[in-house]
Amino acid sequence: MFTVALRIVKQHALAEDCMQDAFIKAFAQLGQFEYRSSFGAWLKRIVVNTAIDAIRKQKLEIEFDTDLHETESPTEIETQDTTEEICFNVERIKSAMLLLPDGYRIVLSLILFEGYDHDEVAAILAVSSSTSRSQYTRARHRLLEILSK
């Protein structure tokens, strides 16, 4: 759970605070747990929401890139992928992710590492599903740019 928070907030101390807040919230709301999912999934959702709230409280706006050209759609961007294989180690990817803007990093983390789909990410971040998709595509491209340098 700490890793989930750290991926979102990027700061060790803030991730620890988020974890503490999330566990307090989970303990306080334990009676509301309805066993519709596993306890771990329920707790992870509380951690994700707490970490995103922490970013918002710091007034670090999660900026989403909305300057899509009229002829450029997420599927068109997707087809521009290069097919060359690049070997990356885990530490290099983690370092590169920290260089991404908040919006890109959060969407990429939620989809790749936490397993949320675009509709769930859209609900968590209060954006449209198409914004989630385009942010994910752009984040992947930006991450590849950073890694290829």
Side-chain angles (χ1 to χ4, degrees), residues 69-85:
H69 300 288
E70 290 179 17
T71 59
E72 192 176 67
S73 70
T75 54
E76 290 174 11
I77 294 170
E78 191 80 31
T79 59
Q80 296 171 2
D81 281 342
T82 59
T83 57
E84 71 182 55
E85 293 291 321

Side-chain angles (χ1 to χ4, degrees), residues 61-126:
E61 293 290 323
I62 300 174
E63 295 180 16
F64 292 101
D65 192 3
T66 57
D67 63 342
L68 277 175
H69 300 288
E70 290 179 17
T71 59
E72 192 176 67
S73 70
T75 54
E76 290 174 11
I77 294 170
E78 191 80 31
T79 59
Q80 296 171 2
D81 281 342
T82 59
T83 57
E84 71 182 55
E85 293 291 321
I86 305 172
C87 293
F88 303 112
N89 67 37
V90 174
E91 289 306 314
R92 192 165 165 224
I93 293 171
K94 286 180 181 178
S95 298
M97 291 236 355
L98 294 175
L99 299 174
L100 292 174
D102 287 341
Y104 285 0
R105 189 186 70 259
I106 292 170
V107 170
L108 198 63
S109 293
L110 291 175
I111 292 171
L112 287 181
F113 300 124
E114 306 311 323
Y116 289 107
D117 64 28
H118 290 288
D119 292 333
E120 292 170 321
V121 171
I124 290 168
L125 298 175

